[in-house]
Amino acid sequence: IQDCWEGERSDLFVMTKIPGGLNASQVRAAHKQNLLELGLDYVDHLMTHFPSDWDEKVASPEARRDEWLALEEIYKSGEARSIGISHYCTQHILDIMWVAKVTPAINQVEYHVGSQDVDQVMDTCSDLGITFMSFSPLCGPCKYEAEDSLINGDLVAEIATHYEGKTGSQISLRYIVQQGIPVIPKSNTM
């Protein structure tokens, strides 16, 4: 950030993640590494990336609770202005709410045209005051035929023809935004 941003730090909103399935000391170490790599004293939002480790070996409610409490410590220290979760379903959220003193600000979940609200997690987030955020709104990690693309596939391109100057990707994003859901794009290239 220091190499490419010349403005004030307060003009940036920096979100970052730590891996899921970490114990308290690993959470602190991962966050310290994030701060070091970013060259920052704090981030605006820190979230756990997944409700378990990628191999799903550390996947218990207790492990989620321990990780969440470690995030709360970072929040209380001021090194994260808000904290949240990513890819959590309703049960995962309830697991951490048993011990949470700070409600997750965000649950970032892959959501796009064609997605469904798996296990009513959107309602759970709403009921608990957690912002449901769409990750990968153009279906970056999805496998699909070209005609199903949410950038320029048949459905979104056809809808776009009804709105002057609009593209398929704009239609896809608008679908989500009109539901009151914030989006964060995913890119595989920079």
Side-chain angles (χ1 to χ4, degrees), residues 110-156:
E110 183 181 326
Y111 182 76
H112 45 75
V113 174
S115 292
Q116 296 180 10
D117 182 8
V118 178
D119 86 338
Q120 288 71 50
V121 69
M122 294 167 80
D123 289 337
T124 300
C125 288
S126 178
D127 292 346
L128 295 173
I130 300 168
T131 299
F132 181 89
M133 176 183 273
S134 167
F135 166 76
S136 193
L138 299 176
C139 204
C142 302
K143 294 181 181 170
Y144 53 81
E145 300 298 322
E147 65 266 14
D148 296 328
S149 166
L150 296 180
I151 296 172
N152 55 13
D154 295 347
L155 174 66
V156 295

Side-chain angles (χ1 to χ4, degrees), residues 72-120:
E72 285 190 2
E73 287 178 24
I74 291 168
Y75 169 76
K76 290 173 188 171
S77 78
E79 289 183 354
R81 301 277 168 98
S82 63
I83 53 177
I85 51 184
S86 183
H87 305 291
Y88 271 49
C89 69
T90 293
Q91 186 56 56
H92 299 141
I93 294 170
L94 296 177
D95 289 344
I96 65 169
M97 292 306 290
W98 278 101
V99 298
K101 291 183 177 48
V102 178
T103 300
I106 293 172
N107 184 17
Q108 192 181 89
V109 177
E110 183 181 326
Y111 182 76
H112 45 75
V113 174
S115 292
Q116 296 180 10
D117 182 8
V118 178
D119 86 338
Q120 288 71 50

